[in-house]
Amino acid sequence: MRCTSTGRKCDGYGSKGTASDVSKTCSQSDDLLSGRNIARAFLGSIPGDGQERRAFEFFRYRTAVEMSGFFRSEFWDGLLLQASHSEPAILHAVIALGSLHGIYREGEAVLLGDAKMSAKRQFALQQSNKAIGHLTKPSTSSGPRSEEAILMSCLLFVCLETFQGNHNGALAHLDSGLKILGSMGFNRPDVDADLISTRGRILDHHALIPLFSHLDMQASTYFPRRHLYCESPLEDQGLSTEPLIPKQFSSITEANNSLQSQVYAVVRYTQRVREYRETARLDPERSVTSQLPKKLLVAQIEHTKQLGRWLATMNAFLKEPTDPLTPQNLRCAILLKMQQITICIMLASTIFNDQTEYDDLIADFERVTVLAASLLKAPSCSEAAQRPYCSFDMTVIPSLYNAACRCRDPVVRRKAISLLSNSARREGIWDSDVSAAIAQRIMAIEEGGLGPISSAQSVPMQARIHILDKSFVSGERKCFVRFQKGKTGLIEEWVRW
């Protein structure tokens, strides 16, 4: 039922076995990530009272499905549930997340600063505290608590904190997990599958490392001044002579993995260009391309070519797929094309002289809004689909936010803001309400006093806004934003939603 409801092919439960067979299999290894083929039929019963069991079941059938996002996640779909049966900290964190997600789906207040705390939210916080308590005391197993248990807990706490509007807490948990990975030797998003940690254990990078890399990228795109933690495959512009894009994709998942690798490298590159432009203090009277080091210009061209190759390979795959594409596959393809356009806009902007050059990309911004609108269109037959939605991965919010802030065409910009305002979505660290409020404020500042806006050219450069940084107050519906207006102006104010 879970597979068919999300457009996935159901692979079944494999060979049948008894509960004793499962217990015997689990006892053969202390690795939380082993024995992943355990039938999910054996994962239903957990210790605890009725409220805990209900929250766990809600997580199992609702939260895990949504958090997986558009692409199937081994972590959310199975490993996390399995680990919750052997690690109390993970179990209580899962229950807390399921409870908070239930509150969010019903449209109730989740933030800590919202009015009076409901009994449901109080229960979720109690479960979160229990999880922390289990993590801070010695493991009850025969050996020390595994790195996998700690890393899984970090990911869950990031989700719990973002649900409650505590971005600082979420970043602290994320940084803790990244430092643990770094101490184990995993400091690259393209880490070798056979890399062994300092403790002699093989970490299942397929399940955990990509999740931390995605969160790292989310945080660094959400907070402009935050630097990526992981190294880039193209660090120091050591551009490989081998093609980074496969000649063909065998599945939509492979296409996604390939694009995310490109996105990570581009985000790293944009940060390096921004740092150079800020420290070198470029002459505003001269073109940016005449002042950037040659290696940065070469890297920009190479990244552009790679993204073009990805699109060509993607189009070839969609034209002649290895297997018939399901409706869910097609939605994934729409998402990937939208993300590819957005990252191309980001890459192009690294050599812009000023923000008026975004006006040449209005067609791209418009296409982003059209693709996003098609993804946000909920099936009319599903009432549940109209409820607030959350996922672990970034999907439509960053692309719409970029269009709403960077595109000055009055029609396209307002369409992007409208989609954000009406979507009620959380995508990892990104929140549609916050994004809509900031974009709305930027538009109000830029268009203030200009009269009717008939085109992007109606907004002169000296009125245009660029976000320098933003910070949040834990549990409150406001953030402090620093804007740059024109080329030298500075605006600092609170944005509320």
Side-chain angles (χ1 to χ4, degrees), residues 93-108:
V94 161
I95 292 173
L97 187 56
S99 182
L100 282 179
H101 182 214
I103 298 172
Y104 177 71
R105 276 177 58 91
E106 296 301 324
E108 297 182 35

Side-chain angles (χ1 to χ4, degrees), residues 28 41 98 101 163 302 343 375 380:
Q28 290 175 348
H101 182 214
F163 252 120
E302 182 63 22
I343 203 65
L375 292 174
S380 59

Side-chain angles (χ1 to χ4, degrees), residues 342-363:
T342 300
I343 203 65
C344 282
I345 293 173
M346 179 186 295
L347 181 60
S349 70
T350 59
I351 57 173
F352 282 176
N353 296 303
D354 60 55
Q355 294 207 33
T356 59
E357 295 188 56
Y358 281 109
D359 299 348
D360 297 331
L361 304 177
I362 291 177

Side-chain angles (χ1 to χ4, degrees), residues 285-410:
E285 302 302 322
R286 297 170 54 201
S287 68
V288 171
T289 53
S290 67
Q291 300 180 74
L292 286 180
K294 182 178 179 180
K295 63 179 183 180
L296 289 178
L297 294 174
V298 170
Q300 201 267 358
I301 295 172
E302 182 63 22
H303 283 304
T304 302
K305 289 180 179 179
Q306 292 297 331
L307 289 170
R309 290 171 188 147
W310 180 91
L311 183 60
T313 305
M314 181 65 174
N315 287 334
F317 168 76
L318 294 176
K319 186 177 181 180
E320 297 181 4
T322 52
D323 295 308
L325 296 175
T326 66
Q328 179 65 13
N329 290 150
L330 294 175
R331 284 173 59 81
C332 290
I334 292 173
L335 171 65
L336 294 181
K337 287 202 169 186
M338 181 188 68
Q339 292 179 337
Q340 191 265 355
I341 296 171
T342 300
I343 203 65
C344 282
I345 293 173
M346 179 186 295
L347 181 60
S349 70
T350 59
I351 57 173
F352 282 176
N353 296 303
D354 60 55
Q355 294 207 33
T356 59
E357 295 188 56
Y358 281 109
D359 299 348
D360 297 331
L361 304 177
I362 291 177
D364 291 328
F365 286 123
E366 183 176 18
R367 192 168 178 221
V368 164
T369 60
V370 170
L371 294 175
S374 68
L375 292 174
L376 292 172
K377 185 178 180 181
S380 59
C381 60
S382 175
E383 179 183 353
Q386 310 293 337
R387 295 177 178 175
Y389 172 89
C390 74
S391 71
F392 186 84
D393 284 333
M394 297 184 294
T395 52
V396 301
I397 297 179
S399 294
L400 286 174
Y401 177 74
N402 186 60
C405 294
R406 303 299 187 199
C407 180
R408 276 75 182 192
D409 179 86

